[in-house]
Amino acid sequence: MSGSSVPPSGPPGPSPVPAPARRPTGPEAALAAASAHYRRGEPIDMSALAAELGVGRATLYRWVGSREQLLGTVLAEMTERTYRVAARGVRGTGPERILTVLDRFMRAVVDAAPLKAFTEREPRLFIRLATMPGTIEDRATELLTRELQREIDRGALRVPLPTRTLAQAVVRIADSFMYAHYLGGNRPEIEQALEVVELLLRPCGHEAAAHGHRPRDGEGISEPV
């Protein structure tokens, strides 16, 4: 390097104008935009979403599938976010840990403002998406399978069923009680859900569970959701 401030070809010309940043496109951008609308409690309209992304409706449908498929994916993403927050900082092992995480998760779900806004607009669609086999159940089952497997690996839990089968059963039980108020009941029945899940876990785990102990609300939690 010569250290000269003027290149051999002559004095520099005007600085090039930077190209405008290209807005992200594709399925991830569509999901991010739809999720943002959901978190703000806004309806997800496919025509408006396509216009926001600067693409045609056909392109948007090619990226994300139908509106129901997109909503299912959004709700599955929200399920994972809520679950990870619920599991954060929870102490304990074995059945006690699983029950505490489920308690925190279910209460966070039923109290979530975006979900309340969605269910006020489209309660039947939500129930169909949330309680039938599909994206949301698959994501919740995957998360709980990992949670159960961690406790099995550390020797705090023994299960008489394949781990994923047990996780799927727990998810379906939780859904049926958590959304009881959308299925003709008066309110969510979280305590009842936890009692049934405890019966499934009691023969699998540790001494406290064998004596019927279940963490009280807030027990073993180091930080709020």
Side-chain angles (χ1 to χ4, degrees):
M1 293 176 67
S2 66
S4 171
S5 61
V6 180
S9 58
S15 299
V17 177
R22 179 175 293 180
R23 183 167 52 183
T25 59
E28 291 185 1
L31 177 58
S35 297
H37 286 290
Y38 173 82
R39 289 195 299 271
R40 293 194 295 265
E42 300 167 355
I44 295 175
D45 178 89
M46 298 297 275
S47 295
L49 187 59
E52 177 182 337
L53 294 167
V55 299
R57 281 170 55 93
T59 298
L60 178 60
Y61 279 99
R62 188 171 67 252
W63 285 348
V64 300
S66 68
R67 179 174 182 268
E68 286 195 14
Q69 288 174 308
L70 175 58
L71 284 166
T73 304
V74 168
L75 290 170
E77 291 290 314
M78 296 302 108
T79 295
E80 180 161 355
R81 289 188 183 198
T82 303
Y83 189 91
R84 293 193 183 285
V85 172
R88 188 181 303 155
V90 174
R91 297 189 297 269
T93 60
E96 295 93 331
R97 175 181 170 81
I98 302 299
L99 290 165
T100 300
V101 172
L102 286 173
D103 192 347
R104 290 179 57 159
F105 171 76
M106 288 190 287
R107 294 184 193 282
V109 168
V110 299
D111 289 339
L115 182 60
K116 290 179 179 178
F118 177 46
T119 54
E120 285 176 3
R121 289 192 306 268
E122 301 180 80
R124 292 182 181 179
L125 174 58
F126 170 71
I127 284 298
R128 185 163 70 249
L129 291 172
T131 61
M132 293 182 66
T135 305
I136 303 170
E137 181 185 284
D138 289 346
R139 185 73 61 90
T141 298
E142 179 183 343
L143 291 164
L144 188 55
T145 298
R146 293 176 186 171
E147 195 77 50
L148 291 168
Q149 192 60 52
R150 277 194 291 267
E151 298 309 305
I152 293 168
D153 291 345
R154 69 171 65 172
L157 188 67
R158 296 188 309 275
V159 296
L161 298 169
T163 310
R164 184 176 177 82
T165 300
L166 178 60
Q168 186 177 47
V170 170
V171 167
R172 291 183 175 178
I173 289 167
D175 285 348
S176 65
F177 284 97
M178 184 165 48
Y179 304 131
H181 52 312
Y182 299 125
L183 298 169
N186 295 322
R187 58 182 176 78
E189 298 173 347
I190 292 174
E191 287 297 325
Q192 292 91 325
L194 293 169
E195 288 170 4
V196 175
V197 173
E198 183 181 7
L199 290 175
L200 288 176
L201 299 180
R202 183 182 296 161
C204 308
H206 143 337
E207 184 178 352
H211 286 83
H213 172 74
R214 182 170 64 77
R216 295 184 299 274
D217 187 23
E219 182 179 335
I221 298 176
S222 63
E223 61 182 66
V225 176

